[in-house]
Amino acid sequence: MAKGNLVSEKIMLLLGLVALQLCYAGFHIVSRVALNIGVSKVVYPVYRNAIALALLSPFAYFLEKNERPPLTFSLLFQFFLLALLGITANQGFYLLGLNYASPTFASAMQNSVPAITFVMASVLRLEQVNFRRRDGLAKILGTIGSVGGATVITLYRGPPLLHNNYLTQGSSILEMDDPSIKVQNWRWGCIYLLGHCLSWAGWMVFQASLLKKYPAKLTITSYTCFFGLIQFLVIAGFVETDYQYWKIQSAEELFTIIYAGVVASGIVFSLQTWCIHKSDPVFVAVFQPLQTFLVAIMAFLILGDRLFSGGVIGAVLITLGLYSVLWGKSKEKELEEEDKCLKHPLLDTQKGDKEDNVVSDIP
């Protein structure tokens, strides 16, 4: 009976991980559709974060009521900076990149985030690198592979591999007659997406250190959404002054905004938290390349995107780099646990010897 429950739990976990990547893949496609139909790059994240804040803040208030440490001005300032990285820069660069590049390559570039996070954590001495061990070498080689893949995607587009005759109205920016303009736009898209990955990695490193001081994840996420919303509203005050950009003019626009707020922010956050709780962050990250595969299929069928050889080569390098970094992290964790197991009995024995010596000294 217990074995049957274990099997069913594993099946539920696998289904949850596939559903998580499907939700992420859908967000890439929905975001591109939103840009294609003329939704503003500033208004879109404003609505998204407003919906996310409305969904998450009640849960944060009631579930973490007794866990929240006292709020200080220093913490509020750190929440503001976290929002600047994780919401404003992250989502802003993503939409700018998606406007010039394809959803498939946006998803492929995101696979480099663990490697970039590792580099940032190493520079800040939050992550230790042992060059003499296999796990340390795997993380270094994985980082090189991910960076190399991102460079290939940016600098080399290559000939198309697959082509769908159906092209959407918004794909004209990538299908201009002038090849030099086309390549320039593509590279700008990849550079913006690299900025998206850098800000995402910085947000993860910053959040990890902040959680040690303020261990209330839902509350931190709610404050991040709140300050991100304020920051985007300030930007919108300068960029989108025309009231027409704020009006939702079709059911298609409404769907993209609701999907971004409810699914991409609310459901994805809950599902990812559940999956990590049932397994671990490394196991969840292993499924990330599945998202790229799903996006490639959906973008080809729905948007009529073309698949280029340079993007495929870069995506393969990034995926190999991702798995190398994840393997190194997993191996490092195993070695740390083995060291703890070996040290504890030795410490207990030494403690016992000391206690015997103390007793023998008493007359």
Side-chain angles (χ1 to χ4, degrees):
M1 190 73 175
K3 189 176 180 181
N5 289 336
L6 187 63
V7 171
S8 63
E9 277 187 16
K10 285 184 178 179
I11 292 170
M12 286 295 291
L13 176 61
L14 289 173
L15 289 173
L17 286 165
V18 172
L20 178 65
Q21 299 309 325
L22 195 59
C23 288
Y24 271 128
F27 176 66
H28 286 290
I29 304 300
V30 164
S31 296
R32 184 53 187 268
V33 169
L35 294 176
N36 286 354
I37 61 179
V39 177
S40 166
K41 299 180 200 67
V42 178
V43 174
Y44 184 64
V46 166
Y47 284 134
R48 175 189 176 181
N49 288 294
I51 294 169
L53 181 62
L55 286 173
L56 292 172
S57 54
F59 289 99
Y61 179 78
F62 290 107
L63 295 178
E64 296 179 342
K65 199 171 184 179
N66 300 321
E67 297 175 20
R68 281 192 297 271
L71 199 61
T72 62
F73 178 78
S74 174
L75 281 170
L76 282 173
F77 182 66
Q78 289 178 72
F79 293 153
F80 178 86
L81 292 177
L82 197 65
L84 194 62
L85 276 174
I87 301 290
T88 310
N90 183 11
Q91 295 179 13
F93 278 129
Y94 170 75
L95 291 171
L96 285 169
L98 193 63
N99 192 48
Y100 293 110
S102 72
T104 305
F105 298 132
S107 175
M109 290 283 275
Q110 286 180 349
N111 290 328
S112 65
V113 171
I116 296 170
T117 306
F118 162 69
V119 172
M120 286 185 175
S122 300
V123 170
L124 295 171
R125 299 190 181 278
L126 299 172
E127 178 92 18
Q128 292 184 347
V129 187
N130 193 331
F131 295 92
R132 297 178 182 178
R133 290 195 328 207
R134 285 186 299 170
D135 58 295
L137 286 172
K139 288 190 284 186
I140 292 165
L141 290 173
T143 302
I144 294 169
S146 293
V147 172
T151 305
V152 169
I153 289 176
T154 305
L155 300 179
Y156 175 68
R157 200 179 187 193
L161 299 176
L162 293 172
H163 176 58
N164 191 337
N165 291 327
Y166 170 71
L167 291 173
T168 57
Q169 82 183 75
S171 58
S172 58
I173 196 165
L174 295 176
E175 307 300 329
M176 294 176 179
D177 293 330
D178 190 341
S180 63
I181 294 175
K182 191 191 300 184
V183 171
Q184 187 180 7
N185 285 333
W186 179 265
R187 286 178 181 169
W188 271 114
C190 292
I191 290 167
Y192 284 135
L193 288 171
L194 184 59
H196 156 65
C197 293
L198 285 167
S199 55
W200 190 352
W203 168 74
M204 289 175 71
V205 171
F206 190 14
Q207 184 180 238
S209 62
L210 188 57
L211 277 166
K212 293 175 183 178
K213 307 174 195 174
Y214 198 89
K217 193 172 183 180
L218 279 171
T219 305
I220 287 179
T221 306
S222 298
Y223 274 115
T224 305
C225 284
F226 171 74
F227 283 117
L229 177 61
I230 298 298
Q231 288 164 12
F232 267 119
L233 283 171
V234 171
I235 294 169
F238 292 96
V239 177
E240 301 296 6
T241 53
D242 189 347
Y243 176 69
Q244 292 298 318
Y245 285 110
W246 294 87
K247 287 174 67 177
I248 300 172
Q249 299 177 359
S250 67
E252 201 174 17
E253 284 187 30
L254 182 63
F255 172 76
T256 60
I257 289 166
I258 290 174
Y259 188 97
V262 176
V263 178
S265 294
I267 294 174
V268 159
F269 178 82
S270 305
L271 193 55
Q272 186 166 291
T273 303
W274 180 82
C275 289
I276 290 171
H277 176 69
K278 290 291 181 182
S279 56
D280 59 74
V282 173
F283 187 70
V284 173
V286 164
F287 280 76
Q288 197 166 315
L290 174 64
Q291 177 197 139
T292 306
F293 176 72
L294 292 170
V295 172
I297 294 172
M298 293 164 75
F300 180 73
L301 295 175
I302 298 169
L303 301 173
D305 277 1
R306 291 195 288 181
L307 202 58
F308 293 89
S309 57
V312 172
I313 294 166
V316 169
L317 285 172
I318 289 172
T319 302
L320 291 173
L322 168 70
Y323 282 132
S324 183
V325 170
L326 292 176
W327 182 87
K329 289 291 293 177
S330 179
K331 200 69 180 173
E332 181 186 48
K333 193 175 179 182
E334 285 178 17
L335 290 169
E336 285 176 357
E337 287 176 357
E338 284 177 11
D339 287 343
K340 283 180 183 177
C341 291
L342 289 170
K343 284 177 182 178
H344 280 308
L346 182 63
L347 288 171
D348 291 341
T349 306
Q350 288 175 348
K351 187 179 176 183
D353 291 341
K354 285 181 182 178
E355 285 175 353
D356 290 343
N357 291 335
V358 170
V359 171
S360 62
D361 289 338
I362 297 173

